[in-house]
Amino acid sequence: MKRNYKSEFEGFQPEDKYADAQRRVKRLKGFYTHLIVYIVINIMIVFINIRDLDAGESYFKIENFFTAFFWGIGLLVHTFSIFMPNFIFGKNWEQQKIKEFMEKEKSEKWE
C-alpha cells in the first residue's frame, strides 16, 4: 500500500510556514542588532582614539582599524548568512541531497 505523505502532512503547512517566517524574522532581528552594536561600538572606539591622540599625531594608523576590520569580516559573514543563504547551496539543495542519498541507499540495498 502506497502512502500519500503529502495529504497526511498537508494540514501542517500553515504552521510550518508561520514557524519558518518566525525563525527568519528572529534571525533578521539578530542581524540588525549585530549591525547596530557594530556601528555604536566602532564610533565609540573612533572617539576614544581621537581623544587620545597626541598633538600632530595622525589618526590613520593600522592599530586604530583592527576592531572594525576583523569584526567587519564577522558582520559580513553574518550578512551573507541572512540575505544570501541560497548563494552557495541553492534553494533546494537539502531536499535534493536527501533524495540523492535515499535513492543511493535504495539501489545499494537491492543489489
Side-chain angles (χ1 to χ4, degrees), residues 58-101:
S58 174
Y59 177 77
F60 297 101
K61 296 183 286 188
I62 194 157
E63 56 267 5
N64 290 338
F65 298 99
F66 279 145
T67 302
F69 179 75
F70 289 109
W71 191 354
I73 291 172
L75 185 62
L76 187 65
V77 170
H78 195 175
T79 302
F80 286 149
S81 75
I82 298 297
F83 295 107
M84 297 176 61
N86 300 322
F87 181 70
I88 295 174
F89 294 114
K91 189 172 185 176
N92 297 321
W93 181 81
E94 285 185 26
Q95 290 82 11
Q96 291 171 352
K97 279 295 178 187
I98 290 170
K99 184 177 178 181
E100 177 185 321
F101 290 143

Side-chain angles (χ1 to χ4, degrees), residues 3-16:
R3 289 187 174 185
N4 187 357
Y5 289 105
K6 186 175 181 181
S7 64
E8 287 181 1
F9 295 107
E10 204 167 320
F12 295 104
Q13 276 187 340
E15 291 84 9
D16 291 342

Side-chain angles (χ1 to χ4, degrees), residues 2 6 30 32 34 38 51 59 63 67 69 96 103 106 109 111:
K2 188 174 181 180
K6 186 175 181 181
Y32 287 134
H34 187 183
Y38 173 81
R51 185 191 67 189
Y59 177 77
E63 56 267 5
T67 302
F69 179 75
Q96 291 171 352
E103 288 174 0
K106 184 178 178 181
K109 188 176 184 179
E111 288 180 2

Side-chain angles (χ1 to χ4, degrees), residues 41-59:
I41 296 297
N42 279 293
I43 287 173
M44 288 172 46
I45 289 172
V46 166
F47 284 126
I48 290 170
N49 287 340
I50 289 174
R51 185 191 67 189
D52 293 341
L53 286 177
D54 294 329
E57 187 179 9
S58 174
Y59 177 77

Side-chain angles (χ1 to χ4, degrees), residues 16-49:
D16 291 342
K17 288 181 181 180
Y18 180 77
D20 184 47
Q22 211 172 18
R23 181 184 56 80
R24 289 171 44 200
V25 166
K26 189 174 183 178
R27 290 181 68 210
L28 191 60
K29 183 179 177 184
F31 167 73
Y32 287 134
T33 302
H34 187 183
L35 179 63
I36 290 168
V37 170
Y38 173 81
I39 291 169
V40 169
I41 296 297
N42 279 293
I43 287 173
M44 288 172 46
I45 289 172
V46 166
F47 284 126
I48 290 170
N49 287 340

